[in-house]
Amino acid sequence: MTTTDSLRSGPGTTGRSGGGGDHGRLPGREHLPARQTASDPSGVPVLDVVVPVYNEEKDLRPCVLRLHGHLSRTFPYAFRITVADNASTDATPAVAAALTAELRGVRYVRLEEKGRGRALRTVWSASDAPVLAYMDVDLSTDLNALLPLVAPLISGHSDLAIGSRLARSARVVRGSKREFISRAYNLILRSSLAAGFSDAQCGFKAIRSEVAERLLPMVEDSGWFFDTELLVLAERAGLRIHEVPVDWIDDPDSTVHIVRTATEDLKGVWRVGRALAVGALPLDRLARPFGDDPRDRALSGVERGLARQLIGFCVVGVLSTLFYLALYSLFRLGVGPQLANSGALLVSAVANTAANRRLTFGVRGRSGAVRHQAQGLVVFAIGLALTSGSLAALGAASGSPSHRAELAVLITANLAATVLRFLLLRAWVFPARARTRPRTSDDPEDLR
């Protein structure tokens, strides 16, 4: 199928994204049906690859011929190649028209404004393919990475996929200047926006259409920062981003203005960071339905949240120990070591149980609070026996130990008591069955 389209882009262009579905939640990921194969290219293609161009009369034809040939040989589903023209003023439209007449599954879209992000938003919003991708016209990325790029999206494993030139197994040929700029930019993203993906600007990406439908209206940028903003918002919403190491060779004839592009990118980083900080973005629209993530599923007989509980217990334990030692030192000014130890342990034990109840084991409300404190005092008595026994042993061994020696023994005894305390709190005071409750998709605690 060969078509030639003319689309106008602007603030009012929404395509599929303008419907009421923006306010719903994303459906669960599923494997796309294999009803459209490469041998049966009629109907809706599975993959729509967009090639944004601006004055590319020289490179456009060899790019599309090479891409079309590669997909015809290797891609098992029906596909489409869309040339998105960003208001070219040279012979690019004529070259594209000739390609649409010559090759099946190639179409041409004309935009009257420049901007790679604008081209991708316009074409992706109007496309009927379930998987959307794009690549630069210079084909710097080896096309053998295309099928690994889109396969996780077709299978339902991931929401977005990106090619990475900075992955450990990627093979890249480019100058030191571009290498430094690329790594510095991604370092800025990691430090300022807490980005977890490795390469924001590689011109080799794909996205599932239902994700694009909700994500594109949130992306403001229409230029080179479009990629970064798309990825940051997707990652913050908890969507899965698949990275593919690529073989990449720099195009020495690239017309990208590095300084201007870097300046616009930094402005975009500031804008997105500020929006995230004040909660101005409705990222809940991008959340997957409850139960789609295995972490949402309550499995009988499987203990959950051990790592988080250990971290919470350690934080509470450190603070409680410092509080205990401060109290012991204060009480020791007026009473003997055993009485000072008992008083400090009692006060810190009450605070420790309350903190672990709320922060470590997630028990909220007043129900069972008195019983938990009573059980916590039993745990306290065990800790008291350990620490008091250690002090008694120190006194018997040295007669009149120094304050520093007392503190050292108490720290050691408390370390042993801490392990036992965690086990008792987890298994007896706050057992898993007492923390388990029916969970629904409307529960804000579960969807936080």
Side-chain angles (χ1 to χ4, degrees), residues 168-182:
R168 185 179 299 275
S169 57
R171 295 186 295 179
V172 177
V173 178
R174 62 177 166 180
S176 58
K177 179 179 179 181
R178 285 181 176 271
E179 178 76 10
F180 173 77
I181 293 175
S182 178

Side-chain angles (χ1 to χ4, degrees), residues 29-43:
R29 289 188 299 263
E30 294 182 356
H31 196 301
L32 296 176
R35 58 180 178 269
Q36 294 293 335
T37 64
S39 60
D40 179 24
S42 61

Side-chain angles (χ1 to χ4, degrees), residues 35 73 75 119 142 216 259 266 319 327 374 390 405 423 436:
R35 58 180 178 269
R73 291 191 311 271
F75 195 67
D142 182 24
L216 291 179
V259 175
L266 292 177
L319 296 177
L327 287 177
S390 299
L423 296 176
T436 302

Side-chain angles (χ1 to χ4, degrees), residues 328-364:
Y328 176 83
S329 298
L330 179 63
F331 293 163
R332 189 67 176 85
L333 296 176
V335 298
Q338 293 289 1
L339 189 57
N341 176 58
S342 300
L345 267 179
L346 178 61
V347 176
S348 61
V350 173
N352 181 276
T353 300
N356 276 312
R357 182 178 188 270
R358 176 64 177 86
L359 301 178
T360 303
F361 298 100
V363 179
R364 297 166 177 82

Side-chain angles (χ1 to χ4, degrees), residues 7-64:
L7 301 178
R8 296 179 61 86
S9 74
T13 301
T14 58
R16 294 177 307 171
S17 303
D22 286 356
H23 302 288
R25 300 178 68 80
L26 281 171
R29 289 188 299 263
E30 294 182 356
H31 196 301
L32 296 176
R35 58 180 178 269
Q36 294 293 335
T37 64
S39 60
D40 179 24
S42 61
V44 178
V46 172
L47 173 66
D48 192 348
V49 183
V50 181
V51 182
V53 295
Y54 172 71
N55 289 346
E56 296 288 356
E57 60 181 4
K58 176 182 177 182
D59 293 334
L60 179 56
R61 180 174 178 81
C63 164
V64 173

